[in-house]
Amino acid sequence: MECILLGTGGMMPMPDRLLASLAVRMNGTLYLFDAGEGTQLGWKRARLGYRSLKVIAVTHLHADHCLGIPGLMMLRAQMEDPPPLTLIGPPGIEDFVRMNQKILEFYINYPVRFIQWTEDAPEIAYEDENVRILWHPLKHTRFCLGYRMEEWDRPGKFNARRAEALGIPQGPLWGKLQKGESVRTEEGQTVTPEQVLGPARPGRRLAYVVDTLPTKGIYRLCQDADIAFMEGMFLPEDALHAEAKGHMTVTDAARIASRAGVRRTVLTHISPRYRDEDLPRLEAAARERFAEVTVGRDQEVYSVPLPP
């Protein structure tokens, strides 16, 4: 799992800080969380391919989180026979995209699937062969979603000696057992994966939480995450501004990450009131509550290793 911060700013793009956007690469597939204005620039700088983009998950319909979607979709249509694209988001995300397409008259040559939040929506918004994506409402000035990405658990460690003792020689049958399939020995005995595999090994967990006041839902999204990208929009001394605008301070985010058991936290969605020389102050304030926290910068890449 590789996480690429395309933009770390909030409200307005800055010369060296684009708006909120996080790309996650898994087994050659790209998943994008938010696409603020100018996301195409971050995408180009990171040299990411449009054919690999499979899912865009949008937190809410504020301009600094969704205005980059039409441009990404238009550029993707420049390819020959691009694969389908799925957009996940709040109520209105389909209207936003369809109306932009209608008014701007831009060309789309691939299927687009929309998954919109509803009151009776299941906890799992999306799943494929790599991951599943969960969502949960947050607490902002308008309806906003947080996301959790979970890689599927991996099979347990294969016990070769046990397989041979059960009459399964090395070869294709070992591969089937490792994939979770039962096999038969030459004598006709059935051997199940549980007989030769250890306990399942957990996959990686990622949380993406921006534009929210502290709320219980954040803990569910961040619980025991390997990495969490959380908004750190304000310093603690600007807490009144944060509360009035529906945002967290860096200490709010650090406190929640620590209590939720997050292994590493990256703060993003930084207010434009802070210049680059102010970022060490935000980081220092957050680390008073949680040591494993850093302030993200545009184009930084975070590799998330498999847990032991």
Side-chain angles (χ1 to χ4, degrees), residues 126-162:
Y126 169 89
E127 58 184 33
D128 61 20
E129 68 279 5
N130 293 318
V131 299
R132 64 179 186 174
I133 298 176
L134 294 76
W135 52 7
H136 200 287
L138 301 177
K139 190 176 181 182
H140 190 41
T141 55
R142 71 174 302 171
F143 184 80
C144 183
L145 293 162
Y147 291 99
R148 176 183 175 92
M149 173 183 279
E150 297 182 346
E151 182 183 22
W152 296 110
D153 288 349
R154 296 166 292 145
K157 187 176 180 180
F158 183 74
N159 189 326
R161 290 185 178 179
R162 178 63 176 161

Side-chain angles (χ1 to χ4, degrees), residues 67-117:
L67 278 188
I69 295 174
L72 287 172
M73 293 181 68
M74 282 188 275
L75 277 178
R76 200 168 181 270
Q78 301 302 309
M79 298 186 302
E80 183 178 347
D81 192 27
L85 178 67
T86 297
L87 277 89
I88 307 170
I93 184 64
E94 182 172 4
D95 287 344
F96 170 76
V97 172
R98 296 298 189 197
M99 289 302 295
N100 269 278
Q101 184 181 2
K102 179 179 179 181
I103 294 169
L104 300 176
E105 297 182 347
F106 64 80
Y107 171 68
I108 294 294
N109 57 346
Y110 50 87
V112 181
R113 174 191 179 201
F114 292 91
I115 303 175
Q116 294 190 129
W117 168 271

Side-chain angles (χ1 to χ4, degrees), residues 7-256:
T8 58
M11 294 180 61
M12 59 179 288
M14 306 289 284
D16 299 313
R17 192 187 303 157
L18 298 178
L19 292 173
S21 192
L22 171 71
V24 181
R25 182 156 40 204
M26 286 281 298
N27 299 326
T29 298
L30 285 166
Y31 305 84
L32 183 66
F33 293 90
D34 277 340
E37 178 185 353
T39 294
Q40 295 172 74
L41 295 174
W43 196 274
K44 286 289 188 181
R45 289 171 185 167
R47 298 184 178 182
L48 302 177
Y50 288 99
R51 185 172 295 278
S52 302
L53 177 59
K54 188 175 185 180
V55 175
I56 302 176
V58 181
T59 56
H60 63 300
L61 295 176
H62 273 164
D64 56 339
H65 294 261
C66 65
L67 278 188
I69 295 174
L72 287 172
M73 293 181 68
M74 282 188 275
L75 277 178
R76 200 168 181 270
Q78 301 302 309
M79 298 186 302
E80 183 178 347
D81 192 27
L85 178 67
T86 297
L87 277 89
I88 307 170
I93 184 64
E94 182 172 4
D95 287 344
F96 170 76
V97 172
R98 296 298 189 197
M99 289 302 295
N100 269 278
Q101 184 181 2
K102 179 179 179 181
I103 294 169
L104 300 176
E105 297 182 347
F106 64 80
Y107 171 68
I108 294 294
N109 57 346
Y110 50 87
V112 181
R113 174 191 179 201
F114 292 91
I115 303 175
Q116 294 190 129
W117 168 271
T118 60
E119 287 296 331
D120 59 350
E123 184 181 35
I124 299 173
Y126 169 89
E127 58 184 33
D128 61 20
E129 68 279 5
N130 293 318
V131 299
R132 64 179 186 174
I133 298 176
L134 294 76
W135 52 7
H136 200 287
L138 301 177
K139 190 176 181 182
H140 190 41
T141 55
R142 71 174 302 171
F143 184 80
C144 183
L145 293 162
Y147 291 99
R148 176 183 175 92
M149 173 183 279
E150 297 182 346
E151 182 183 22
W152 296 110
D153 288 349
R154 296 166 292 145
K157 187 176 180 180
F158 183 74
N159 189 326
R161 290 185 178 179
R162 178 63 176 161
E164 290 175 341
L166 290 169
I168 307 297
Q170 184 174 358
L173 295 182
W174 283 19
K176 289 186 176 183
L177 286 165
Q178 289 172 305
K179 292 177 181 177
E181 302 175 26
S182 296
V183 300
R184 282 184 176 275
T185 66
E186 291 182 355
E187 290 74 25
Q189 297 296 318
T190 299
V191 176
T192 66
E194 291 77 13
Q195 292 176 271
V196 295
L197 295 179
R201 293 172 289 179
R204 289 159 286 196
R205 308 288 188 260
L206 173 148
Y208 181 77
V209 177
V210 295
D211 282 49
T212 182
L213 291 165
T215 183
K216 290 182 179 179
I218 303 176
Y219 290 92
R220 169 68 186 97
L221 297 168
C222 291
Q223 189 67 47
D224 297 325
D226 296 285
I227 190 167
F229 293 86
M230 304 177 70
E231 79 158 354
M233 194 162 193
F234 291 100
L235 283 166
E237 51 263 40
D238 295 322
L240 290 178
H241 292 287
E243 185 174 0
K245 296 176 180 178
H247 292 284
M248 292 194 292
T249 66
V250 293
T251 49
D252 290 331
R255 182 183 68 252
I256 292 173

Side-chain angles (χ1 to χ4, degrees), residues 284-296:
R287 285 183 175 175
E288 291 181 6
R289 296 297 184 94
F290 183 45
E292 298 301 321
V293 64
T294 186
V295 174

Side-chain angles (χ1 to χ4, degrees), residues 255-267:
R255 182 183 68 252
I256 292 173
S258 177
R259 291 179 177 176
V262 175
R263 292 174 179 80
R264 179 169 47 158
T265 301
V266 180
L267 299 180

